[in-house]
Structure formats: C-alpha cells, structure tokens
Amino acid sequence: MAQWHGKTEKSGFKPFESLKAIFYESSEKIVNYFKLLNSNAAPEFFNAKL
C-alpha cells in the first residue's frame, strides 16, 4: 500500500486524493482482512435476513 500511495502522490491525478484518504482511514482493516481473512460477511448475511 505504501508503494501505491507513493506512486499516486507522484502522479498528481486528483481523483486519487479521496481514494488515498479512504485507504488511509481503513488501512488497518484492510491489512487485518488479508492477515486474518476476516470480514463481516456473516453478520451482513444475518442482517440481510432480518
């Protein structure tokens, strides 16, 4: 993610600014998903049935 962040910073492409902010705010959750293969799919499935 750090490499992507650096490349988008150098590109100067404005739409990446909001995407970078989202990734920055959610980076811990994104990394944990891939480390633990953890998602909220089961609770979302349950809530959809309600």
Side-chain angles (χ1 to χ4, degrees):
M1 283 179 64
Q3 289 177 352
W4 180 84
H5 187 299
K7 288 180 182 181
T8 58
E9 192 75 28
K10 289 179 186 176
S11 77
F13 190 56
K14 294 292 180 193
F16 281 137
E17 295 301 317
S18 60
L19 189 58
K20 284 191 314 187
I22 292 168
F23 277 169
Y24 180 75
E25 293 169 5
S26 304
S27 62
E28 186 177 338
K29 293 176 185 176
I30 294 168
V31 171
N32 282 340
Y33 172 79
F34 287 104
K35 284 172 83 174
L36 306 172
L37 297 176
N38 187 4
S39 75
N40 67 342
E44 289 294 335
F45 177 75
F46 179 74
N47 287 336
K49 294 230 173 217
L50 297 178

